[in-house]
Amino acid sequence: MSDSEEEEGPDRQLKLVVLGDGTCGKTSLATRFAQETFGKQYKQTIGLDFFLKRIILPGNLNVTLQVWDVGGQTIGGKMLDKYIYGAQGILLVYDITNCQSFENLEDWYNVVKKVTEESETQPLVALVGNKIDLEHMRTVKVDKHQRFCQENNFSSHFVSAKTGDSVFLCFQRIAADILGIKLNKAEMEQSQQNHKMEGDHVPWPHQGEVQQLSLNC
Ligand SMILES: Nc1nc2c(ncn2[C@@H]2O[C@H](COP(=O)(O)OP(=O)(O)OP(=O)(O)O)[C@@H](O)[C@H]2O)c(=O)[nH]1
């Protein structure tokens, strides 16, 4: 073992699988996290894309995240079970401006349950509402999101792959949860600071705003 390995310890590897309808922003989320870029142009993922990113969690723990970006059209296909198999984390992603993408998560989650029901360890499941830069076009009620989380014990996240808002934090929290590491408030704020969003976007939700949203999903 080299000196640097001794200092840092070996990397932990986590497999995270990103699921959800086409165009909800899975590839954008993965590229924002892994490459810190965003493309406006939609390019459909056929089958699977794959990203790797190394992060450091509190306690100097090195973690390599394998992000499996699964094409939205794979639901109902033969390969989906194989993509999900062995995942330690599942991100169920929807577009907050698209009700159908939220409602269809039930189907995606059913596949996850079917694949993992025999497994000894269950993956951590995270519900991710994407495109919060389009808050004015939101059609999925925050309440619905929260209820879905509570009923199924999901962790809850709201992000924008476009601006980068809360994207790093989302992956960091998921990795920490899987490894049983508790992030304190200062660490979460620090990670937001270090991965600042583009432009002058104000982080969402603004205090006291959640109850006032007029929603119709
Ligand atoms: N405004 C906004 N647009 C976004 C955001 N994330 C993704 N998009 C746009 O939404 C479209 C679809 O994004 P993708 O990341 O390709 O969606 P996907 O879920 O990977 O789609 P499939 O490959 O079909 O499964 C693209 O035009 C993106 O630029 C976001 O946070 N905000």
Side-chain angles (χ1 to χ4, degrees):
M1 190 187 276
S2 72
D3 284 354
S4 64
E5 267 177 321
E6 243 161 27
E7 274 163 31
E8 294 179 3
D11 273 22
R12 291 290 308 262
Q13 293 252 1
L14 297 179
K15 173 179 173 179
L16 305 182
V17 178
V18 188
L19 302 175
D21 276 9
T23 79
C24 70
K26 299 177 298 297
T27 303
S28 304
L29 195 61
T31 50
R32 167 60 74 189
F33 171 61
Q35 299 164 353
E36 299 186 28
T37 55
F38 176 77
K40 277 196 186 126
Q41 203 70 36
Y42 171 52
K43 191 169 158 280
Q44 190 183 75
T45 304
I46 309 293
L48 180 73
D49 267 341
F50 191 73
F51 299 85
L52 275 182
K53 171 107 172 167
R54 191 174 189 235
I55 65 169
I56 302 174
L57 289 176
N60 226 8
L61 186 64
N62 294 296
V63 185
T64 300
L65 302 185
Q66 301 174 358
V67 182
W68 295 50
D69 166 28
V70 175
Q73 311 309 318
T74 53
I75 195 149
K78 277 194 231 144
M79 294 304 288
L80 183 57
D81 291 13
K82 294 183 174 51
Y83 297 155
I84 293 169
Y85 184 79
Q88 281 113 336
I90 303 281
L91 283 74
L92 293 179
V93 184
Y94 69 96
D95 169 354
I96 66 155
T97 73
N98 178 343
C99 271
Q100 200 62 51
S101 72
F102 178 74
E103 282 160 18
N104 289 345
L105 285 182
E106 195 93 51
D107 297 335
W108 287 100
Y109 185 46
N110 283 336
V111 181
V112 173
K113 283 194 286 195
K114 197 189 85 206
V115 174
T116 58
E117 66 190 353
E118 309 261 288
S119 311
E120 269 175 36
T121 52
Q122 292 300 309
L124 177 133
V125 182
L127 181 62
V128 184
N130 184 35
K131 307 199 185 181
I132 58 168
D133 56 292
L134 302 177
E135 184 57 38
H136 55 290
M137 290 162 65
R138 170 188 283 277
T139 56
V140 181
K141 291 179 181 173
V142 175
D143 279 3
K144 284 234 173 189
H145 172 112
Q146 307 291 25
R147 206 170 318 138
F148 195 28
C149 286
Q150 280 155 13
E151 283 167 0
N152 297 286
N153 211 14
F154 298 155
S155 70
S156 165
H157 307 262
F158 288 104
V159 300
S160 166
K162 183 175 180 183
T163 64
D165 192 352
S166 301
V167 171
F168 186 84
L169 182 62
C170 167
F171 283 93
Q172 188 192 35
R173 275 179 52 205
I174 292 167
D177 281 354
I178 293 169
L179 296 170
I181 295 167
K182 207 157 167 47
L183 298 175
N184 62 35
K185 208 169 165 231
E187 282 155 352
M188 289 200 262
E189 274 166 14
Q190 174 93 46
S191 105
Q192 287 287 61
Q193 281 295 318
N194 292 349
H195 298 85
K196 267 203 169 25
M197 307 159 279
E198 288 168 0
D200 291 320
H201 186 76
V202 180
W204 187 92
H206 315 295
Q207 227 171 4
E209 191 186 52
V210 174
Q211 286 87 342
Q212 294 162 21
L213 297 166
S214 78
L215 308 161
N216 51 19
C217 186

